[in-house]
Amino acid sequence: MASSDPLFLGLDLSTQQLKGIVIDASGRILLETNIVFDAQFPEYRTTNGRHINGSTATAPVLMWVEAIDLVLSRVHSARLAHRIRAISGAAQQHGSVYWSHEGIEAIGKLDAQRPLCEQLVGAFAILDSPVWEDSSTTEQCQRLEASAGGSAELARISGSAAFERFTGTQIMKIKVRDSDIWNRVACISLVSSFAASLLSGAMAPIDASDASGTNLYDIEAGQWSKLLCDAIDPGLLGMLGGGVTMADQMVGTLSPYFATKHSMAQCPVVSFTGDNPSAYAGFESMLRDTDQLASVISLGTSDTMLSPLTGYPYAFESLTTDTEHIDGH
């Protein structure tokens, strides 16, 4: 391989660590690196990458910021950064990041000569982001189901009855419990679109499959549900960015901050998605030239089974239990 051949960077922002992988056009791995949050950033005092307080589970958003910057520095140290021609990735699902107006402005004019976190003081209305292990929103689940017309109707629209960890009820809890914080929120990202936004220096849209784990996305219509969003706040549709994107769409280019600091080209940033749909896509790609379908079982911090569907299953007549849900599609 010539030293000028293009390379591609993938990131995986999971609960306990950030992983990075650099591959060439044939899929050959040139670099793998991982940053275990507890070990690398003890100052954030996380346990397995999060803070647990009773039924509340959160993670420091600035820890994720530092980790992304550090992964790119490792790619640069490996003398591969200048060959990166596209960046994409995946992230833990359901978690949410709350940008302030100052943060939206700040990521577009970062100075490569200054520490990143120093420039993002005030960028986030909430410094500890709710993550998927949170189970503190039972009251909000009941309210969202009632607003939809019941659990069956919420499942028909969003693919799921209300779950505590899903993003919609997490947003509702913040809005109801702390109006001062809510009034500072300008934009809400999922963890996946947060990473894409930081890297591109502008708000990136949320991926459709990740949106389907929020209880706010109308899966059949392929857009955010105005009914469900308005049940939380009339301005929520705008905070979510309006439309969604598909996982193979370019959402921006690498920001001048990262390009300058790590000697990289301002290459395309492709939409980040959730870790579960991303895992399925990876396995399914191995069967692309066959007539076979894959079902994937993932055993980890959470256990998940992923399987393709031939049609949308949640019409009223087919809904048999409130525990069924679609976590990505």
Side-chain angles (χ1 to χ4, degrees), residues 144 147-149 153 157 224-232 237:
L144 189 61
S147 297
E153 179 64 5
I157 297 169
W224 296 112
S225 166
K226 188 175 187 303
L227 170 68
L228 300 178
C229 289
D230 284 354
I232 298 174
L237 270 172

Side-chain angles (χ1 to χ4, degrees), residues 184-200:
R184 292 192 60 228
V185 177
C187 187
I188 301 172
S189 295
L190 299 187
V191 183
S192 57
S193 61
F194 149 77
S197 299
L198 181 67
L199 287 166
S200 61

Side-chain angles (χ1 to χ4, degrees), residues 47-327:
T47 301
N48 294 325
R50 74 279 198 264
H51 296 141
I52 300 292
N53 182 13
S55 60
T56 299
T58 60
V61 64
L62 289 176
M63 178 180 72
W64 295 338
V65 168
E66 289 198 67
I68 290 171
D69 202 20
L70 181 55
V71 160
L72 295 187
S73 74
R74 290 184 179 179
V75 175
H76 178 257
S77 296
R79 302 180 184 276
L80 299 174
H82 65 288
R83 295 169 56 191
I84 301 297
R85 293 296 175 265
I87 301 172
S88 188
Q92 55 180 287
Q93 294 189 262
H94 313 303
S96 44
V97 175
Y98 298 81
W99 298 88
S100 66
H101 290 284
E102 297 93 323
I104 295 173
E105 183 178 351
I107 61 170
K109 57 179 185 180
L110 296 170
D111 182 350
Q113 302 304 314
R114 295 174 55 203
L116 183 54
C117 281
E118 175 186 293
Q119 300 178 71
L120 294 179
V121 172
F124 304 101
I126 298 173
L127 289 176
D128 260 25
S129 289
V131 294
W132 66 272
E133 288 178 278
D134 190 283
S135 59
S136 66
T137 61
T138 301
E139 178 185 346
Q140 287 73 36
C141 286
Q142 294 167 350
R143 291 179 60 180
L144 189 61
E145 289 184 342
S147 297
S151 60
E153 179 64 5
L154 180 60
R156 185 192 67 79
I157 297 169
S158 73
S160 175
F163 277 80
E164 283 82 356
R165 68 183 181 274
F166 276 28
T167 321
T169 54
Q170 296 292 332
I171 295 171
M172 182 184 288
K173 184 181 82 168
I174 291 166
K175 195 278 176 80
V176 169
R177 294 189 182 180
D178 200 322
S179 59
D180 289 340
I181 286 178
W182 182 253
N183 289 335
R184 292 192 60 228
V185 177
C187 187
I188 301 172
S189 295
L190 299 187
V191 183
S192 57
S193 61
F194 149 77
S197 299
L198 181 67
L199 287 166
S200 61
M203 291 296 103
I206 293 171
D207 160 67
S209 64
D210 220 1
S212 69
T214 65
N215 274 142
L216 298 174
Y217 183 64
D218 186 327
I219 292 180
E220 285 193 290
Q223 62 188 21
W224 296 112
S225 166
K226 188 175 187 303
L227 170 68
L228 300 178
C229 289
D230 284 354
I232 298 174
D233 189 280
L236 182 55
L237 270 172
M239 293 179 179
L240 292 171
V244 298
T245 188
M246 301 306 290
D248 59 353
Q249 297 298 302
M250 176 178 164
V251 296
T253 56
L254 188 65
S255 79
Y257 169 84
F258 291 111
T260 300
K261 181 175 180 179
H262 302 297
S263 301
M264 301 176 72
Q266 286 189 258
C267 62
V269 175
V270 178
S271 177
F272 280 49
T273 186
D275 51 4
N276 286 325
S278 181
Y280 182 82
F283 279 95
E284 192 275 337
S285 67
M286 295 187 293
L287 304 176
R288 185 169 298 159
D289 297 327
T290 74
D291 58 359
Q292 297 175 301
L293 296 175
S295 290
V296 178
I297 297 175
S298 171
L299 304 177
T301 311
S302 65
D303 299 336
T304 308
M305 180 173 179
L306 311 168
S307 186
L309 299 173
T310 57
Y312 187 65
Y314 293 137
F316 275 117
E317 61 272 14
S318 66
L319 184 66
T320 58
T321 170
D322 287 349
T323 63
E324 297 175 284
H325 72 278
I326 293 177
D327 214 16

